[in-house]
Amino acid sequence: MLFDVAILGYGPAGASLANLLGAYGLSVIVLEKDAEIYPMPRAIHFDGEVMRVFQTMGLRPAMETISRPGMKGMHFVNADNETLLIRGGTAALGPHGCANNHYFHQPELEQVLRQGVARFANVSVRLQHLVTEVHDRGDHVELDVTDLRQQQPVPVQARYVVGCDGARSLVRKVLNCTTRDLGLHQPWLVFDALLKPGAPTLPDHTVQLCDPSRPMTYCNVTGNRRRWEIMLMPGDDTHELVKPDKLWPLVKRWIEPQHADIERAVIYTFHSIIAQGWRKGRLLIAGDAAHQTPPFLGQGMCAAVRDVSNLAWKLQAMVQGRVDERLLDSYESERAPHVAEFIELAVRLGDIIQTTDPQAARLRDAKFRGGGEPEIFHFPAPRLGPGVLSSAPAPVGQPFPQPQLGNGQWLDERVGHHFVVIATPELMREVQATTLQAWDHWQVQTLDAHDPALAGWLAAHHASAVVLRPDRYVMGLAHSSGDLDTLTRECLPTLALPERCA
């Protein structure tokens, strides 16, 4: 059987892509070497945009069950417990129609994603299947796969292969990617614990302890789960540091051994790198295979889900023969600058947290004190790089918010997995016949801009109409029917993809 897409790796990135492609009706095979979900904590945060992608998958209620909204932000405090900096965005209902931050236990999240995949008969999941070779044959890809249970070879063929196979990605090696190094490579101890009844009350928000003697992060995860991330210092013995008698003294300002059980303690090196060359022929990479970020913004998994949300609708268009193959090149050109901005901010925050020179720390603290109140910062809203969007500035290339429409329905539930034109009926009646034909080809959904939830956004951006992509990003603004014609002609993907949108 020739599958439309083979996904290597069944972590959050691979499982998210399988859900999205499954909903599109593509034939998909997921190949994962492990037999079970890794049972220990790993990622613990996703943001409102990612919850919105889960909503697109039909999994928002299940995700709300296994996560909690983060309403208190992230507080950067110095050794004297003075708050220097706070990450804002703590509203219960943010621009994506949900809270801006959510905390979770990764094995539970992966279980929800896998249950979602099980809805699709067109998605085949092969656990304990190890991919050893990947060969792009031009019109398809051949994979050498070993069934680890039977120790038998299992040949697999697919039109496209997406490597969601992590930091040691086989697909990235086959692509022979170079990497852009953003400069941060620092080992940290990650320590997860389960609080016992009677444990002292701990902060209900994330704390970045900017103590030059030992920088540290504390996270309230879910339920009784807590995490500490502890920077390694010169002279630390990595083999000894993970032992309980060394761990507990490091967190004595918060808890003592009788207050919690250690679930996991492991040394990670935080990296800040971006691969260059996410696609070659029929091979692509996503998630940690394409980029790695320090955890100071909690954006590692978020970036992976954004990757596959960007890629899924493009793969569907390719498989259905709607577009020129250069559409897939827009995946990296759009996503790489976007993820770079998040990684660069995480590195800058890391510079604040990881200051270990006492004099430099005093100067840092004095700088933040100069403003009186703690400085408030928010997640960036980067514009996508060049691709399937107009060259106009933001809000083009940014996510369109998700309001509740006048009938009470959420925007995304109304429009589904489609391009969307939001304009007045009068404006849409004036577009050219070729524009209507293109909209019909793409099953474009149209919404009346008179809806109060939409009219306010258009007025704020001095526009008469807006075109959204299937991933909810703004493709372009229009002020007239002629603008809609131009936007459709120049940026809506076709078999002859225009150079400016390639």
Side-chain angles (χ1 to χ4, degrees), residues 340-466:
E341 189 160 336
F342 277 99
I343 297 175
E344 288 164 354
L345 177 56
V347 170
R348 292 196 297 273
L349 294 175
D351 290 341
I352 295 171
I353 299 162
Q354 296 182 146
T355 299
T356 55
D357 177 77
Q359 177 59 22
R362 284 191 288 271
L363 292 172
R364 175 202 63 198
D365 295 355
K367 177 183 176 182
F368 280 106
R369 287 194 199 102
E373 294 296 317
E375 182 179 331
I376 307 294
F377 79 98
H378 295 270
F379 283 130
R383 187 185 186 279
L384 294 176
V388 187
L389 65 164
S390 80
S391 58
V396 172
Q398 293 180 327
F400 190 81
Q402 181 182 205
Q404 279 188 292
L405 302 176
N407 63 2
Q409 193 174 23
W410 288 107
L411 171 71
D412 295 358
E413 294 171 354
R414 165 65 179 79
V415 300
H417 301 247
H418 299 285
F419 283 91
V420 183
V421 174
I422 300 172
T424 63
E426 297 80 14
L427 196 65
M428 286 188 276
R429 282 196 294 268
E430 295 173 358
V431 301
Q432 297 174 355
T434 53
T435 296
L436 293 175
Q437 290 169 1
W439 293 358
D440 183 64
H441 175 75
W442 277 98
Q443 299 178 313
V444 170
Q445 303 296 296
T446 58
L447 291 177
D448 187 343
H450 290 123
D451 190 302
L454 305 174
W457 188 94
L458 289 169
H461 293 91
H462 309 289
S464 299
V466 59

Side-chain angles (χ1 to χ4, degrees), residues 298-321:
Q299 283 292 309
M301 193 192 82
C302 297
V305 175
R306 288 189 182 95
D307 286 348
V308 299
S309 179
N310 182 290
L311 183 57
W313 68 269
K314 298 174 181 178
L315 284 170
Q316 182 216 22
M318 290 299 305
V319 169
Q320 294 183 345

Side-chain angles (χ1 to χ4, degrees), residues 3-319:
F3 291 93
D4 291 327
V5 180
I7 300 171
L8 275 59
Y10 203 28
S16 294
L17 182 57
N19 272 283
L20 292 168
L21 296 180
Y24 278 131
L26 273 60
S27 61
V28 177
I29 184 169
V30 182
L31 300 164
E32 166 59 52
K33 69 180 185 304
D34 293 330
E36 303 287 346
I37 293 171
Y38 182 68
M40 292 289 105
R42 287 189 286 184
I44 60 171
H45 170 269
F46 63 81
D47 60 26
E49 184 180 352
V50 170
M51 178 62 93
R52 190 173 177 184
V53 177
F54 293 150
Q55 178 185 343
T56 298
M57 300 175 194
L59 299 178
R60 176 171 170 173
M63 287 299 181
E64 290 175 336
T65 298
I66 60 93
S67 65
R68 70 167 184 87
M71 310 300 291
K72 299 296 181 66
M74 175 188 291
H75 295 235
F76 293 69
V77 303
N78 64 12
D80 297 324
N81 209 36
E82 294 177 294
T83 301
L84 308 175
L85 183 66
I86 299 173
R87 188 198 70 208
T90 57
L93 192 64
H96 297 287
C98 60
N100 289 323
N101 298 283
H102 304 263
Y103 291 86
F104 66 96
H105 180 46
Q106 183 167 331
E108 295 175 348
L109 178 138
E110 290 194 41
Q111 185 62 37
V112 169
L113 289 172
R114 293 189 181 193
Q115 289 169 348
V117 171
R119 297 171 296 176
F120 303 110
N122 50 308
V123 179
S124 176
V125 177
R126 308 285 177 83
L127 303 178
Q128 291 184 272
H129 279 64
L130 176 66
V131 181
T132 54
E133 298 283 345
V134 179
H135 307 281
D136 189 338
R137 301 304 188 193
D139 61 348
H140 71 284
V141 183
E142 293 179 358
L143 301 98
D144 295 344
V145 183
T146 300
D147 181 338
L148 298 177
R149 292 167 297 187
Q150 304 296 327
Q151 289 299 313
Q152 294 291 326
V154 181
V156 174
Q157 295 184 346
R159 290 184 172 88
Y160 295 95
V161 168
V162 183
C164 300
D165 47 347
R168 298 181 178 87
S169 169
L170 169 65
V171 180
R172 189 181 65 239
K173 292 177 183 176
V174 173
L175 292 175
N176 195 27
C177 298
T178 58
T179 57
R180 175 187 171 195
D181 190 334
L182 280 75
L184 190 150
H185 304 277
Q186 173 64 45
W188 282 63
L189 165 65
V190 179
F191 165 36
D192 290 283
L194 298 172
L195 298 182
K196 296 178 180 178
T201 300
L202 297 175
D204 57 0
H205 54 271
T206 297
V207 176
Q208 299 285 3
L209 179 61
C210 307
D211 183 347
S213 68
R214 177 74 78 174
M216 196 176 304
T217 301
Y218 158 82
C219 301
N220 172 21
V221 188
T222 59
N224 66 336
R225 295 185 179 279
R226 301 294 183 272
R227 170 173 291 180
W228 285 266
E229 296 170 353
I230 303 166
M231 182 173 161
L232 268 62
M233 302 293 283
D236 282 339
D237 184 325
T238 57
H239 297 290
E240 291 294 318
L241 201 62
V242 297
K243 295 180 179 178
D245 63 329
K246 301 295 184 183
L247 278 175
W248 290 116
L250 295 175
V251 296
K252 64 182 180 182
R253 70 166 60 205
W254 282 292
I255 57 171
E256 296 181 357
Q258 67 269 25
H259 298 143
D261 292 318
I262 297 171
E263 187 172 26
R264 185 187 70 147
V266 64
I267 306 292
Y268 280 115
T269 297
F270 297 161
H271 294 291
S272 57
I273 58 174
I274 304 175
Q276 296 176 310
W278 298 10
R279 179 236 171 181
K280 183 177 181 181
R282 295 178 175 273
L283 308 180
L284 303 104
I285 53 175
D288 284 354
H291 42 73
Q292 296 168 49
T293 181
F296 306 122
L297 272 176
Q299 283 292 309
M301 193 192 82
C302 297
V305 175
R306 288 189 182 95
D307 286 348
V308 299
S309 179
N310 182 290
L311 183 57
W313 68 269
K314 298 174 181 178
L315 284 170
Q316 182 216 22
M318 290 299 305
V319 169

